[in-house]
Amino acid sequence: MSLRIFASIVLFAALCAAGMSAQTYLINENFNAGSTGWTVTQGGVTSVWGLSTTGPANYPGTLNGSQHMLVDADFGATGAGQLCSSTLTSPTFNGTTAPGALYITFQQYFRLFQAGETGVVQVYNGSTWTSVLTVSATIGGFSAPNSPVIDITAYKNASNQVRFIYQDNSNWGYFWLLDNIQVYYSAGAEIDVQRPAGAANSIASGGRSDVGQAAVGTPTNFSWNIENQGSA
C-alpha cells in the first residue's frame, strides 16, 4: 500500500502573489543627498520649498529624523493679503516602462492653520497636469507621517512628472513636509516557490505540487526552493 503525497502551497503562494511582489522604482527620493533634478517655483512671497534637517522654524521636527523637503509659510510671516505659493516638481520619468499599474507614494505632514490652505499633488501626462490628491486638513505628524498610495496608471507617459503645490490662500498658514517620494510599479513575484529537484516549473498561486509516492509509515523528506526574485 502506498500514499500519494501532495504538497499544497495554497496559503503561502497566495501571500507571495498578493503581498510580496518586487517593485521597480522610477523615482525613489529620500532627499538625504540633496534634491538634484527637482525644481522649485515660487508663486508668492519668499516661503518656498527647500531642504530641511530641523523642520518648521516655530515647530521643530523631522520625518524619520532625516533631511526632507519643507515649505514653511508660518516662518515666512505671511498673513492676510500675502500669498505663499510654492511648487516642487520632480525630474521626468518614463511611466510607460510600467507593464501594469503605476503608483506614487510619499510621507507627509501637512498642518492646517485655517480653511483655504491646501497641498495639491499633480501628475503630468506629457501634455496636461492632473490633480490626484488635495490635502486641506491637518494630516500626518513628525513621528507618524501620513503615507498615501495613489494609482497614476491612467497618466502613464514617456515624459511623466509629479509636482506638489502648496498655497495658503493669501492668509495665515502653517507648513507641509514631504519625504521618501516614490514612483513605482510591480515587477512580478518577488518570492518564487519551486517544485522539488527535477521539476522546472514554479507552483502557481493557489496551486499544489505532486511530489510522488511513499509507503505508509515510511519517513520521507522533500524540499522546496524559495527564491527572492526582486529587490524590494
Side-chain angles (χ1 to χ4, degrees), residues 89-168:
T89 305
S90 77
T92 300
F93 58 91
N94 186 356
T96 64
T97 60
L102 184 65
Y103 300 94
I104 179 173
T105 186
F106 51 89
Q107 293 183 318
Q108 66 172 339
Y109 176 17
F110 180 93
R111 181 166 178 177
L112 179 77
F113 182 79
Q114 59 184 328
E117 183 181 5
T118 59
V120 178
V121 182
Q122 295 186 333
V123 174
Y124 183 66
N125 68 358
S127 59
T128 59
W129 288 96
T130 301
S131 296
V132 294
L133 178 69
T134 298
V135 182
S136 56
T138 296
I139 189 169
F142 292 125
S143 59
N146 171 253
S147 300
V149 177
I150 306 168
D151 188 336
I152 59 172
T153 307
Y155 313 106
K156 290 194 299 186
N157 184 271
S159 301
N160 280 139
Q161 287 179 284
V162 61
R163 68 184 182 185
F164 301 82
I165 306 170
Y166 171 88
Q167 66 84 31
D168 66 358

Side-chain angles (χ1 to χ4, degrees), residues 167-179:
Q167 66 84 31
D168 66 358
N169 198 35
S170 297
N171 215 322
W172 297 103
Y174 269 141
F175 50 79
W176 195 12
L177 286 80
L178 293 173
D179 203 1

